[in-house]
Amino acid sequence: SSGINAEWPLRPGVQSVGEASNGGKEITTTSKPILPPCKPDNIVSLDCEMVGCGSKGRISALGRCSIVNYCGDIVYDSYVKPVLPVTDYRTKWSGIRRKHLSNAMPFSEARKLIKRHLSGKYIIGHDLKNDFSALKFTPHPLLVKDTSKCIALRHTAGLPDHQKPSLRTLTSQIFGKVIQTASHCSVEDAKAALMLYKKVEDHWDKKTNPFLTDTYWNDVKK
């Protein structure tokens, strides 16, 4: 999108030839973004907790967001007041109660602060699509390191490749540590995802994100 390209300069494109709809040849140029180096200063771990809005609380909305840096230090942790009235605090899972949101920061303000912490960073987390949806934030896919999709972690945990594990299962199987014993805590979950990432950091498997490999960009649309 134009937003992504505006933020990330592009390397010269790779040309590939395909068949156009009219039967002729179509040349497509795909450019590979220039990303920041993947080093500790550029890495954060994210986790969000949701509450329910609307009829029967079916609309998920951000209720708390936590971000830790590569060292596990908290750089952001705040309850967030959704735009819509909360009809289900989902306390059993979110740990959020009415009192936590009564004077919480409005979503629009919180989102601005959160984006500042995430912009230009590699983002670690577990099943991050839900977090990004709640934040209304779409980072470049090459900056996302989702532990729920990491094949190396499944191997380390003794799980089959096709089984998508929970954060609790991976943390228990690999570190023998039990998390989410009662309700969830976004700080605890962000730190757990960070621990998992560090476990396989040196061989973060290419199957996890094919967009990270030069082969993808060379073969795209062939």
Side-chain angles (χ1 to χ4, degrees), residues 1-5 7-8 10 30-36 38 118 120-125 128-129 132 137-147 149 197 204-213 216-217:
S1 69
S2 58
I4 289 175
N5 292 343
E7 183 174 0
W8 301 109
L10 300 174
T30 303
S31 298
K32 184 176 181 179
I34 300 172
L35 300 176
C38 189
L118 298 180
K121 303 291 186 181
Y122 288 88
I123 306 170
I124 299 165
L128 282 166
K129 68 178 185 298
F132 294 147
F137 175 71
T138 306
H140 196 288
L142 276 73
L143 292 173
V144 178
K145 295 185 178 290
D146 194 324
T147 53
K149 299 180 179 179
Y197 168 75
W204 185 262
D205 54 281
K206 293 179 180 179
K207 289 182 181 178
T208 299
N209 190 345
F211 308 107
L212 296 177
T213 69
Y216 171 83
W217 295 95

Side-chain angles (χ1 to χ4, degrees), residues 2 13-14 16-17 19 23 33 36 39 59 77 86 93 95 115 127 140 154 156 169 176 210:
S2 58
V14 177
S16 61
V17 179
E19 186 175 336
K39 59 182 183 179
I59 301 173
D77 180 35
V86 178
W93 298 278
K115 284 183 67 177
D127 212 6
H140 196 288
R154 296 179 193 182
T156 304
T169 296

